[in-house]
Every structure is written in C-alpha cells, then in structure tokens.
Amino acid sequence: MNGTVRTACAAAIVLGFLAASASAEAPKPSICPVSWELKFEHATPKRVVVSLPGAFAPQPFWYMTYSATNNTGKERMFLPVFEMLTEDGKVTRSDKLISQSVVDVIRKHEGNKFIEGGMQVSGEIRLGDDQTKYGVAVWTEPMLEMGRFSIFVGGLTGEFKTVKLDGKDTILRKSLQLNFWIKGDDAYPGEDAVSPEKAETWVMR
C-alpha cells in the first residue's frame, strides 16, 4: 500500500469513526480492506421452469450464476452463502432441496459446462485466474410477483465483527448485497426484465 493510499485510508477511517460516534447505526464494513477478499462476478438472476422426474407439473425456480477467483496471495476455503430477501420479508437460503436435475438444466441453458451447484462448488479455491470457480445459486420460486428483492452473498471475504446483541456476543460477517427489481405483474412470470436496483453494497450481517 503506497503513501497516498495509506493517507486516504487514514483520513477515511477517522471520518468513519467520527460518524459512527455521532450515531448508533448498525456496524458497517471497514472503509479500507482489513482481510482477504475474493474477486466475485455475477449475472442477473433468471427464472427457469424445469420438468423434474416424477413431478406432476413443471416447477419454477430462480437462479443466479457467478464466478469466484482467488487473487489473495494464499489458497482459501470457498464456502459461499446465498440468501434471498423478498418483499414479504422472508429470507430464503439457496440450494435447499434443489435437485441436481435443476442444476443440469441450468448448466445446459447457460452453455457453461463448468457451472456447479452449491455443494459441489464449495471447498478450497486455488490461486489464479485459471482456477476460477463457476457456480449457481438456485431457489424454488418464492412468489409469482417478485417485484423488488435482494440477494446477500457471504463467504467472499474474511472480514467479521463481534457485536453485543441482547447481551450476547454475535458475529457479523461482511456480505455483498445485490438489489433487483422486476417491473411487471404475475400475468406472465419470467417474461419481464430483471433490473439491478441501486449499486451493490457491502453490509455486515
């Protein structure tokens, strides 16, 4: 880290400390990096309808493909966590009771044979661009009219903070918040465009 960056970080930290002292806001990630962080890229969430073996009717799912690259200087454990927050306030973790058949359909649809599901993509991630992991987070469709929803991605960095909640020590981890908006109604689900809403941000949760 050069002198200019150090000076900028020091000034930002002081300003952040003063702002935090003036208000009782929830903890926020550090302004300057304090731990390792993977390079993470993602596509816009999509809807897919899959005919599963033995199912009475095709079932709808939402999914988001992504890639993770380790340029941190050291091999890391990649244990991603994806949670979707819908307008009704419900939080759902990805890949719960999702058949491998769904992942196979998505892999074929995306034309990327390297895409892996949640269990398969987790594990050691080696150094370098040629060791990039490609994965997909999948949810059973939570509602016909999605409207606005957010996806929180954990496991991309080692930063965490310990805070007191109800008198107990609670660990909050740095997570990436992605916000999306679908303009339309439930008349033709999956046909309306999914648009990013606001800039993606880092939060502690």
Side-chain angles (χ1 to χ4, degrees), residues 82-173:
F82 294 83
E83 294 181 312
M84 179 184 287
L85 170 64
T86 45
E87 284 190 319
D88 59 0
K90 184 178 180 180
V91 177
T92 306
R93 182 170 292 196
S94 69
D95 309 311
K96 293 183 64 176
L97 303 177
I98 300 297
S99 168
Q100 180 61 37
S101 299
V102 178
V103 176
D104 293 340
V105 168
I106 292 171
R107 184 186 295 120
K108 183 177 181 180
H109 181 73
E110 293 292 323
N112 183 349
K113 65 180 181 180
F114 298 109
I115 289 176
E116 297 179 305
M119 292 295 293
Q120 292 74 30
V121 78
S122 297
E124 184 180 64
I125 181 168
R126 297 183 177 180
L127 287 168
D129 292 341
D130 60 340
Q131 298 296 325
T132 294
K133 288 197 171 190
Y134 298 90
V136 60
V138 188
W139 295 264
T140 300
E141 184 170 65
M143 51 178 45
L144 277 176
E145 189 174 357
M146 292 290 287
R148 288 178 169 84
F149 63 97
S150 296
I151 294 175
F152 295 91
V153 188
L156 303 178
T157 169
E159 182 176 341
F160 70 92
K161 293 182 179 181
T162 302
V163 299
K164 287 284 186 181
L165 290 179
D166 298 325
K168 297 180 180 179
D169 287 339
T170 301
I171 295 177
L172 301 180
R173 301 188 183 279

Side-chain angles (χ1 to χ4, degrees), residues 37-39 69-74 125-130:
E37 184 177 308
L38 301 176
K39 177 184 176 182
T69 305
N70 181 7
N71 291 320
T72 67
K74 182 180 178 180
I125 181 168
R126 297 183 177 180
L127 287 168
D129 292 341
D130 60 340

Side-chain angles (χ1 to χ4, degrees), residues 51-69:
S51 296
L52 296 173
F56 176 74
Q59 298 181 31
F61 300 87
W62 280 86
Y63 72 91
M64 185 178 75
T65 56
Y66 62 89
S67 66
T69 305

